[in-house]
Structures are given as structure tokens and as C-alpha cells.
Amino acid sequence: MDQSSDSVQTRVLGILSGKSREDPFSVFAEARAEGPVLSIPHPMGSEDNQAWLVPHMDEALQVLKDKKGFTVDPSYIDADGVREQLTDSVDEEAPDTFFTGTSMLFMDGLDHRRLRSLVSKAFTLKYMESLRPRVQEIADELLDNVEADGEMDLVKDYAYPLPINVISEMLGVPEGDRAQIQTWSSAIAQGMGWGRQDPAVTKHLEQFGKYTKQLVESKRQAPGDDLISKLVTMEEEDDRLSESELISMITLLIFAGHETTSNLIATGAFELFDHPEELQALKNDRSLVPGAVEELLRFNGPSTAVGPRYATQDTEIAGQPIAKGDMVLVLVKSANRDEKKFTEAEDLKIQREIDRHLAFGQGLHMCLGAPLARIEGDVAFSTLFQRLPNLQLKYPREEITWSFVLSSQGLESLPVTFSFQ
Ligand code: HEM
């Protein structure tokens, strides 16, 4: 379908909803050329408020860092939120999840601070570093499993299982349950887009919530040395966490802890195959891996946009008046290619000096798991190219299958071959 006659806003929304097959980055470049704030139809059809796209870095930072001027929680200001439709469709009796309940992603103010501080200690750089040896073992075990075959699906055999096993071990999710969690969370990640929600998403969210509630019960009966058990103790002893918050938090950590990171590993590997000189430089000097991870996050990171923000008062962005209650959607993938901030922004350069990218968001809601994701990315790429130096795509790049995931493109599978030297 020729979409070039549509406005650039419509084409951006086509990408965010999964309806468009256009290259997202060329559409985002056109959006940046159009201006710093672009008007879009309000997804809830609000008559009182407007919605806006923000595709540049400076304005993205303005919105994400202004904790008084913008909120993730529209109920603070009586505005329409995009979650309402889904929240309304879920069975009232079903336990909460990160999306339908009270998770920190959609809260602000003191409640956000309280919830985030409860888990922050588990995500310090020091603690994350202490997990590195185990992340390494998991990466090695995954490659041991496929070593003799000379080929694998890099998504199914490596990029997906690595982060889900890491976060599951941290939280204390039994090994036998992880495949089921994968089914639910993939369906959720693929089923929700701008103005679009597959009916099956409701069912998967409900089942994910019910499962998590049972898991919490089992930790109450037999606590272990894991993060869920610690959170359950906090709920019981200090009364700082309600049952709804606890279950919302756990589903958030499980979902956010692996969907995005597996996308980083799979898409990152694809981008490296697509830029053979960069890949060769990385193989020649593996000390370049941490910098390459940052560049891969900037160049084509897992999140297209952060959650919508709502103006808490009348304000302006780049001279455009924004009314109280208006919705603002920050396009982080576009801001990360802002030509005013990065030279040759559309090129992948693993040795680029990066001051800042927005792949983990910015401000109060900046990704809690960023240190863990960075370690996983570092271990995943180092191990992959060290152990399988002659790794190659099995089929030409045009035959690679992409799917809609997390409001953008993700890889459905990435068949690769290798042989031992
Ligand atoms: C490459 C991997 C990852 C990427 C690109 C990523 C991206 C993001 C982004 C963009 C946000 C901000 C959302 C917003 O402002 O609306 C966020 C928040 C969050 N992420 Fe990540 N994430 C990744 C890995 C992880 C991991 C491994 C965890 C660990 C459990 C995690 C847990 C969270 C949590 C709990 C929040 C909510 C923070 C808050 O609202 O205060 N993420 N992530």
C-alpha cells in the first residue's frame, strides 16, 4: 500500500500501531523535518484535549525531565488515558498486572517514589555486577545446547531465553513456568499498539496476573532467597506495599525484564550483521562491546516511544501551546537519531562517543533495569562473537522475518549458521 500521500503523523501512528510496513526510521526523519511538535488525533477521541508527537531530543528531554509539568498518570488531572480501554475490558475479579493495576510505570509523586525505592536496592550497579558470572553461565549454557548443530535461531535459542532466565532467577520464578510466561508476555508485547489491542491481550494479562498471585502465595508459604520473597516480606511486615501493588510490580519486573532486553540482543545482532565493518571491528577488539551496546541502543533500541505523558498545567513546547491534560508522546527512537545531536545520526558507529541517548527513557521513570540490561547486552554479544566467530545469517537479510513488538519492529526469528575453527 502506498502510504506516501498520508501525512507524516498518520504514518508515524501507522508504525506505532503495527499497521504500516514502512521503514520506521525514514518516517521518523520526515517527522523531525516537519517540526518539533506535531499534532495527532487523540487516541481516546477526547474533545477537551489534544495529543502531540515529539520527535526531537531537546523537546523529548524537556518533557521527560519536567516532573512537575508532565505526569504519566492522567487521573491526576482528569484527562483520558490510553490504558482505560484495556483496564475496562479486564475482568474486575482478575488480579492486577503492571498494565491494568498500580505499577510504578503509571504512577507519579509519592506513590511512585515509594514503589521505586522498595526495589531500587535490588537494581544497584553493584548488585547487578554480582550477577554477571551467572549471566555468563546462562549465555554459555545456551550456546552449549546448540554447539553441535552448527546453526540456531538466534532469537529462540539465545536472545529470548537469556534475559528471561536471568530475571526469573532474580525473582525466583520456577524454571518450569518460564515457557508459559514467555507465551503470555510475547502475546502482550505483540498485541498492543497505538489505538490497537488484540482481544487476546486481555486474556493473557488476566492469566499472567492469576499466575503471579499464586506465585506470591507459594512464596508466602515457603519463602526463598529471591526478590519476590523479599517483596512479600515487605508487604507483610511494613505495610508499605499493597497486594495489588505487589502483583503489579512483579508482573512489571518480569515483563520489562526480558521483552526489551531480548529485543536488544536480537536486533543488535541483526544490525551488526548488516554493518559488517562494525562487526569486524568488534570481533577484533572485544573491549569495544560496552560502547557498541550503547550505540545499538541508540541506533535501533527496543522502545519506540515511552509511555504517554500528560501536561499538568498549560505550558509550551518549542513555542507550541500545550493545554493542561494534553497527551504528549515522546518518540525515543526518533530522538536518538536527531541530527542536531549526533553526527551522521543514521549511521551505526560502534566507536561513537555518546553523551546521552533515550533508549532507557529519562527523568523519574528512567529504566530501573538499565544496569542489568547493559550487563546482559555486554555478556550476550561478547560471548556470541567470541565462541562463534564465524557466525553468519543463514538466509539473505531480505528473508528475515520481522514482527510487530513493543509498538515497533522486532525479529520473529534470526536463523544463523556457524562452524568451529
Ligand atoms: C534493553 C533493555 C531495556 C530497555 C530498552 C528498557 C527501556 C525502558 C524505558 C524506555 C523505560 C521508561 C518508560 C517510560 O518513561 O515511560 C523503562 C522503564 C522501566 N524498566 Fe526498562 N528497559 C530495559 C530493560 C529492563 C530490565 C532488564 C528491567 C528489569 C526488571 C527493566 C525494568 C523497568 C522498570 C521497572 C521500569 C519502570 C521505571 C519507573 O516507572 O520508574 N527494564 N524501561
Side-chain angles (χ1 to χ4, degrees):
M1 187 173 41
D2 177 21
Q3 284 142 330
S4 53
S5 57
D6 288 337
S7 73
V8 70
Q9 287 95 319
T10 305
R11 290 161 61 213
V12 169
L13 296 183
I15 287 162
L16 293 171
S17 68
K19 288 180 191 145
S20 164
R21 293 284 161 268
E22 282 193 279
D23 165 32
F25 292 104
S26 52
V27 179
F28 296 154
E30 285 183 49
R32 287 193 301 279
E34 188 89 1
V37 193
L38 314 183
S39 167
I40 50 172
H42 197 286
M44 302 301 290
S46 168
E47 289 179 5
D48 303 326
N49 284 113
Q50 299 202 56
W52 308 93
L53 286 177
V54 168
H56 290 249
M57 177 69 84
D58 283 341
E59 290 74 22
L61 286 172
Q62 179 195 332
V63 173
L64 296 179
K65 291 176 100 170
D66 182 354
K67 58 184 182 203
K68 290 215 174 85
F70 293 94
T71 176
V72 292
D73 181 358
S75 65
Y76 277 136
I77 39 173
D78 281 343
D80 293 323
V82 281
R83 276 192 309 139
E84 278 170 9
Q85 203 180 338
L86 182 57
T87 314
D88 289 350
S89 67
V90 169
D91 178 0
E92 268 180 38
E93 302 292 309
D96 285 328
T97 58
F98 67 99
F99 205 77
T100 53
T102 43
S103 77
M104 71 180 110
L105 201 50
F106 303 113
M107 290 168 112
D108 264 320
L110 290 176
D111 283 334
H112 174 259
R113 202 182 311 162
R114 174 175 53 89
L115 290 177
R116 188 159 168 138
S117 70
L118 285 175
V119 278
S120 289
K121 281 198 193 73
F123 286 90
T124 58
L125 199 52
K126 194 168 164 221
Y127 178 66
M128 292 296 114
E129 272 303 329
S130 76
L131 299 181
R132 188 184 282 269
R134 182 62 192 134
V135 177
Q136 182 65 60
E137 268 172 21
I138 296 174
D140 279 322
E141 281 163 20
L142 292 169
L143 294 187
D144 290 346
N145 291 342
V146 292
E147 196 168 38
D149 302 339
E151 61 178 289
M152 67 169 159
D153 177 353
L154 204 141
V155 174
K156 187 167 68 60
D157 296 322
Y158 192 64
Y160 209 96
L162 176 62
I164 197 167
N165 283 315
V166 172
I167 193 71
S168 296
E169 285 191 11
M170 191 176 163
L171 288 165
V173 175
E175 204 169 341
D177 300 348
R178 296 177 196 168
Q180 179 58 67
I181 287 180
Q182 172 173 350
T183 308
W184 290 324
S185 51
S186 295
I188 295 165
Q190 291 173 12
M192 287 196 297
W194 185 257
R196 180 177 77 79
Q197 177 219 318
D198 293 351
V201 167
T202 310
K203 188 184 81 201
H204 292 294
L205 278 169
E206 283 174 7
Q207 289 173 348
F208 192 12
K210 278 185 195 150
Y211 164 80
T212 307
K213 193 174 161 67
Q214 282 162 10
L215 184 61
V216 162
E217 271 322 306
S218 70
K219 300 283 176 189
R220 256 192 246 289
Q221 308 299 327
D225 183 26
D226 54 64
L227 186 54
I228 297 183
S229 300
K230 288 193 186 101
L231 290 168
V232 168
T233 313
M234 282 180 202
E235 184 209 13
E236 287 169 351
E237 285 179 356
D238 304 339
D239 204 20
R240 282 188 292 165
L241 193 62
S242 71
E243 165 100 358
S244 160
E245 289 169 343
L246 176 67
I247 294 174
S248 302
M249 168 102 75
I250 295 167
T251 52
L252 173 64
L253 294 175
I254 296 175
F255 182 82
H258 77 281
E259 278 296 336
T260 43
T261 315
S262 51
N263 193 319
L264 164 67
I265 298 168
T267 306
F270 171 83
E271 294 295 1
L272 288 168
F273 287 128
D274 220 24
H275 296 82
E277 285 173 17
E278 299 299 301
L279 178 55
Q280 194 51 51
L282 193 66
K283 286 182 184 168
N284 293 345
D285 179 358
R286 273 187 289 275
S287 73
L288 299 178
V289 173
V293 169
E294 294 311 310
E295 172 66 348
L296 291 167
L297 283 161
R298 178 199 76 83
F299 185 73
N300 193 359
S303 307
T304 310
V306 291
R309 281 3 188 214
Y310 302 87
T312 57
Q313 57 206 15
D314 290 349
T315 183
E316 323 196 309
I317 304 175
Q320 169 65 54
I322 305 289
K324 179 178 174 183
D326 279 3
M327 178 195 291
V328 178
L329 196 63
V330 171
L331 292 173
V332 291
K333 273 199 188 186
S334 174
N336 282 342
R337 298 255 186 135
D338 187 338
E339 32 292 283
K340 294 199 298 296
K341 298 292 164 185
F342 304 98
T343 46
E344 296 169 357
E346 304 281 3
D347 293 344
L348 179 81
K349 294 172 182 252
I350 61 163
Q351 298 186 63
R352 183 192 290 280
E353 302 269 325
I354 300 179
D355 285 341
R356 162 162 37 207
H357 63 67
L358 297 187
F360 291 120
Q362 193 69 210
L364 288 180
H365 290 272
M366 190 166 174
C367 180
L368 180 75
L372 179 58
R374 288 187 159 115
I375 289 171
E376 292 182 71
D378 185 7
V379 170
F381 292 119
S382 307
T383 312
L384 192 63
F385 295 115
Q386 183 171 359
R387 286 194 49 178
L388 309 174
N390 53 3
L391 194 71
Q392 336 191 340
L393 289 180
K394 186 170 177 188
Y395 305 114
R397 74 187 292 285
E398 295 69 33
E399 290 176 32
I400 303 295
T401 39
W402 294 87
S403 66
F404 178 76
V405 61
L406 298 171
S407 303
S408 187
Q409 284 186 309
L411 280 161
E412 196 147 302
S413 79
L414 190 61
V416 291
T417 60
F418 46 87
S419 58
F420 288 93
Q421 292 162 330

